[in-house]
Amino acid sequence: MQPERTTYTLLELTRSIQKTFADRYVSAYWIRAEMNKLNHYSHSGHCFPELVEKQHGKVVAQMRSTLWRDDYIRANEQFIETLGQPLKDGIKILFLARVGFDPIYGLSLRIMDIDPAYTLGDIEREKQETILQLKREGLYEQNKSLALPLLPKRLAIISVETSKGLADFLEIIDKNPWGYRFFYMLFPSLLQGDKAVDTITLQLNRIRKVKNHFDAVAIIRGGGDDIGLSCFNNYRLAKAIANFPIPVLSGIGHSTNETVTELIAHYNAITPTKLAEYLIQAFHNFSVPVMEAQEALLSIPSEILKKEKERLITISNMIGRTVKASFIREKQTLQNQSFRMKREVFHIVSRSRYEVNQYSTTLDVRSRTIITSNHQILLQTNKAISDYCRRQLVNTNEKLTNMEIQVRHLDPVNVLKRGYSITMQNGKAIRDHHMVKTGDTLQTKLLNGTIQSLVQSSSNDSF
Amino acid sequence: MKDTKTNNMNYSAAFEELQQIVSDIEDGEIGVDELAEKVKRAASLIELCKAKLTSTEEDVEKILQALEGGSK
Amino acid sequence: MKDTKTNNMNYSAAFEELQQIVSDIEDGEIGVDELAEKVKRAASLIELCKAKLTSTEEDVEKILQALEGGSK
Amino acid sequence: MKDTKTNNMNYSAAFEELQQIVSDIEDGEIGVDELAEKVKRAASLIELCKAKLTSTEEDVEKILQALEGGSK
Amino acid sequence: MKDTKTNNMNYSAAFEELQQIVSDIEDGEIGVDELAEKVKRAASLIELCKAKLTSTEEDVEKILQALEGGSK
Amino acid sequence: MKDTKTNNMNYSAAFEELQQIVSDIEDGEIGVDELAEKVKRAASLIELCKAKLTSTEEDVEKILQALEGGSK
Amino acid sequence: MKDTKTNNMNYSAAFEELQQIVSDIEDGEIGVDELAEKVKRAASLIELCKAKLTSTEEDVEKILQALEGGSK
């Protein structure tokens, strides 16, 4: 038995779902998603963006959405204004949407607004990734490191033939007032939008074939709109430029931040005009020194020669002066020798004369001295003789006198005079009593007369 | 006044040599003996450099031929 | 007054010798016996230098006139 | 006062001998007996030197005048 | 007072003998007997020396005057 | 008082003999008998010496005066 | 009192004999009889000596006075 069924019509169901959605998702929400396809219908002006979310390359969520014509125009303008490019496939967006369920069209997201700032960040990230990748591969500075010829006069221009930028560029380099001659060849290419990457790369490959005919590649794009410049951040294009065998110069007029292409280009001018001026400047940089060299050449050698002539005149004059000075010096030296000789000769003569006079004086004094001293000695001798003689005579006289006195004392008469007498026996003087005996006759001699006597006795009495 | 020695000369080499000569002359490093020779050389280098500024030898036709030849 | 010994001499060698002679005379290193000979030598060196200067001047003048004429 | 012995002498030899004589006289190495003789010799050397100087001077003067004349 | 023995004597020999005589006299080596003779000899030597000196002086004077006169 | 024996004697011999006599007299070696004789001899020697000395003096004086006069 | 024996005697012989006599007397070797004789002899010798001495004295004095006088 089947229970009583409650049945609903499809409408009732769908209305119920509609109500549930309406109750549950009352407001609009900011949602992040990748816009796989914009699905812009140019006829109606509406878009039906296909939104997905990917994780690890796999689609994990997917939903259709609608972007009505007015919303699309407004959002697109904001995009262009902020990012320099329109809404397009394959960008990440942050959008304001309402979830709705329509009994007929089913579930849908109605995009009311898209925030370009979010996408801008995403593009910037992509740009940074390109830069990072190039740096990792060592290509970032590659083109810059190439040497730009002193005269970058042969240019392969990548541009749009009708571009105003190109016209500005050519105006300057073709009609420069200094007569500098450039050679250039246009390699036409799209310079914006998705197809730009491929066409630029294609032309770069062509130029590569004839690179020996060119000094540099110039990518020239006029100013005005900034739309579609993101192609210049493209990794593939950037790599092709970085790897290019001759310098790539960029003159891409825009007001936003520099693209990767511009960053890695050998030289980046902010406009085609500036690039042309840069090239003219390079010619100037070459021409000015050449002209200066010419001027130097016109003036300096003659100065050198003039100085050299002066030097020659100076040295020529010096020879005369020096030689004359040397003659004067030499004459002076000769004169000096003469003076010295004269002085010395007279000195010698006068010294010799002095010596001779000294000897003369000495001779005089000494010979007189000898004579005088001999006189003296003779006098002394004279005196000595007198003295000694007289003394000797006196001495002799004294001795003789003494002798006379002695003789006088010895004369016996003188003894007898004092009362003494001599007793004799037979004529001999008696000196000892033993010589006589009693009874002997003795004769005694007196001063006057003689006595005869007999000896009675004798004794040894003495004085 | 073209000198055979400069004909095939790279203009940057010419430019460099010119500057060297002028600098030597200015520094007084060039004596009377070399002066005329050096001035002559410098003059011919100047000619060469000037010509390089105002002339070009490339031919579009030749390049186009090369491009086509290379693309075959 | 030309001296055969100076025929192949260049300016700087001649000038140097000239300076040496002057300096030697100044320093009294040249005796009276050699003096006249040395002065003669110096004179011939001066002649040589003058001639070289004049010739160089003419050469340079010619070259530069051509250069100026060519640059107009 | 010329001495035959000085005829072929050059200036420096003469001057050297002169100096030797003067120096000998100054050092007292020459006695009175030789003095006059030596002075005579010295005088003749001085004469010779002067003559050489004068002749050299004239030669040099001639050369220099020729040089100055030639440089005008 | 000239002595024949001194006629050919030169100054230095005369001076030497003079010195010897004076020195002998000073040392008392000459007795009265020789004195007059020696003094006579010394005097004649002195005369000789003086004469030689004077003549040398005159000679030198003459030579130098001739030299100076010639150099004017 | 002159003695013939002194006629040819020179000063120094005379003086020597004189000194001997003086010394003998001083020593008392001369007796009375010889004394007068010796003194006589001494006196004659002294005379001789004096005469010789005086004559020498005169000679020397003459020579020296002549010398001084000549040197003025 | 003159003794013939003394006539030719000189002073020194006389003085010697005199000394001998005195010495003999003093020694007492002379007898009384001789004594008077000896004394007599001595007296005569003394006379002789005195005479000789006086004569010598006179002679010497004369000579000396002549000498001294001459030297004044």
Side-chain angles (χ1 to χ4, degrees), chain A residues 224-243:
Chain A
D225 52 5
D226 286 351
I227 302 161
L229 286 175
S230 66
C231 62
F232 291 113
N233 287 327
N234 182 273
Y235 168 72
R236 205 151 48 82
L237 178 58
K239 185 174 180 176
I241 289 168
N243 261 330

Side-chain angles (χ1 to χ4, degrees), chain F residues 6-21:
Chain F
T6 62
N7 276 346
N8 297 316
M9 244 186 165
N10 65 15
Y11 183 92
S12 72
F15 189 75
E16 213 171 302
E17 192 185 336
L18 189 58
Q19 276 185 311
Q20 190 55 53
I21 291 170

